[in-house]
Amino acid sequence: MLVHYGNPAWYQQHVIPYREKLFPKLQNTNRNLPTTREDIRVELEKARVKRLTHQRDKEAPGETSTG
């Protein structure tokens, strides 16, 4: 970890731009995270259904009967 003391111009020039590359802008983050047990279960079920639907769609076009 690089630590540099006492030079605000260096911080503005090097750290702030790097922080912008590492972390998304606040507007692009999900701020509506589930907090209750029921909300988490609902979100997990949505993710499961989405995953299964994606898997089914991925397998469906390639279905052929080799008999």
Side-chain angles (χ1 to χ4, degrees), residues 20-39:
E20 308 248 338
K21 290 180 185 178
L22 286 179
F23 300 107
K25 295 194 182 296
L26 190 57
Q27 303 90 314
N28 297 339
T29 58
N30 184 2
R31 290 182 264 166
N32 298 322
L33 296 175
T35 55
T36 65
R37 183 178 291 237
E38 185 60 32
D39 291 343

Side-chain angles (χ1 to χ4, degrees), residues 3-66:
V3 179
H4 190 82
Y5 292 102
N7 191 346
W10 184 91
Y11 185 85
Q12 291 290 331
Q13 183 180 4
H14 296 286
V15 176
I16 300 295
Y18 189 64
R19 182 183 67 185
E20 308 248 338
K21 290 180 185 178
L22 286 179
F23 300 107
K25 295 194 182 296
L26 190 57
Q27 303 90 314
N28 297 339
T29 58
N30 184 2
R31 290 182 264 166
N32 298 322
L33 296 175
T35 55
T36 65
R37 183 178 291 237
E38 185 60 32
D39 291 343
I40 293 170
R41 286 185 179 158
V42 167
E43 291 300 320
L44 286 173
E45 182 63 24
K46 285 180 190 178
R48 186 181 74 78
V49 169
K50 184 177 179 180
R51 179 177 46 86
L52 291 175
T53 303
H54 180 69
Q55 286 178 351
R56 193 174 332 128
D57 292 345
K58 192 175 180 180
E59 292 172 0
E63 282 186 320
T64 57
S65 61
T66 56

